[in-house]
Amino acid sequence: KQEVTQIPAALSVPEGENLVLNCSFTDSAIYNLQWFRQDHGKGLTSLLLIQSSQREQTSGRLNASLDKSSGRSTLYIAASQPGDSATYLCAVRAGKSTFGDGTTLTVKP
Amino acid sequence: DAGVIQSPRHEVTEMGQEVTLRCKPISGHNSLFWYRQTMMRGLELLIYFNNNVPIDDSGMPEDRFSAKMPNASFSTLKIQPSEPRDSAVYFCASSFSSGPTDDTFGSGTRLTVV
């Protein structure tokens, strides 16, 4: 059974700092890995999708990497802003998606 | 495309009543997923369909829960009878199973059973 773990569970940083969120998974037989953002009380918004054959994806200040063999992914956020405050979830897909519990990020002005 | 559309946005019902949640996936997507999210258990996959056929319903908590997908543009999740512990946010998501597109989530239905 696939298990997805996200560390840390919560993170608080001052505005402008670069940060890394971590995601690990137990079964490397995946189709893809996806990072989502969820604002409090809202739905999930897809940020980045990395196919199993890819190593990384970039979108603006976000960069996600994937090391399938070691079962790890990271989400790098550059020059963090208060508007980045949200819960970030990673999900691995093999038929169905399995989600981690998320990292709740607070960026202080 | 308007995205994945869920209705209602909020539902408050009394214990024992039947609840029906609705989802319209993105046109052209052939996979549909129902999730439940609570503070205690996080995001849980309940069931998913591929080409309108249920593929994995192992996440459905009890026989009180049932889901249908009569056609490619509509799905329902029904709880009968509802219980207070069913209170959660229920999300529907869709994707194209054989392609690179990512899962797209609806805004969710917040269910409160009193």
Side-chain angles (χ1 to χ4, degrees), chain B:
Chain B
D1 200 310
V4 176
I5 300 173
Q6 290 187 246
S7 63
R9 291 295 306 274
H10 301 274
E11 175 85 33
V12 180
T13 191
E14 291 185 348
M15 182 174 64
Q17 296 297 307
E18 177 180 295
V19 175
T20 300
L21 312 180
R22 297 173 176 80
C23 176
K24 182 180 187 310
I26 289 177
S27 178
H29 281 186
N30 63 347
S31 290
L32 183 140
F33 309 82
W34 281 102
Y35 292 89
R36 177 173 69 176
Q37 187 176 39
T38 62
M39 288 290 292
M40 291 294 293
R41 301 173 69 92
L43 197 61
E44 304 172 278
L45 176 66
L46 300 178
I47 185 171
Y48 83 97
F49 296 83
N50 197 41
N51 295 321
N52 310 338
V53 176
I55 303 300
D56 185 346
D57 65 354
S58 59
M60 297 286 263
E62 300 172 35
D63 291 344
R64 298 184 295 106
F65 286 70
S66 63
K68 294 182 180 179
M69 192 165 187
N71 57 61
S73 59
F74 184 65
S75 177
T76 59
L77 177 67
K78 186 176 292 186
I79 309 172
Q80 165 64 20
S82 58
E83 297 182 3
R85 59 196 169 111
D86 301 331
S87 298
V89 181
Y90 291 80
F91 288 105
C92 174
S94 72
S95 71
F96 186 60
S97 62
S98 300
T101 57
D102 43 6
D103 295 349
T104 304
F105 276 67
S107 298
T109 294
R110 181 174 296 277
L111 173 66
T112 304
V113 183
V114 297

Side-chain angles (χ1 to χ4, degrees), chain A residues 11-75:
Chain A
L11 182 63
S12 181
V13 300
E15 181 176 5
E17 200 162 286
N18 302 325
L19 58 101
V20 174
L21 308 182
N22 297 290
C23 173
S24 61
F25 48 96
T26 55
D27 186 349
S28 61
I30 64 172
Y31 296 161
N32 59 48
L33 183 144
Q34 196 168 354
W35 282 93
F36 291 88
R37 168 187 173 134
Q38 186 174 31
D39 293 286
H40 183 69
K42 304 290 187 182
L44 279 71
T45 301
S46 178
L47 297 173
L48 289 165
L49 172 73
I50 311 177
Q51 298 298 329
S52 61
S53 59
Q54 297 175 323
R55 298 284 292 183
E56 66 176 341
Q57 282 287 330
T58 298
S59 176
R61 294 182 294 107
L62 305 179
N63 175 277
S65 68
L66 174 64
D67 184 341
K68 206 172 72 161
S69 60
S70 67
R72 295 177 190 273
S73 175
T74 61
L75 179 66

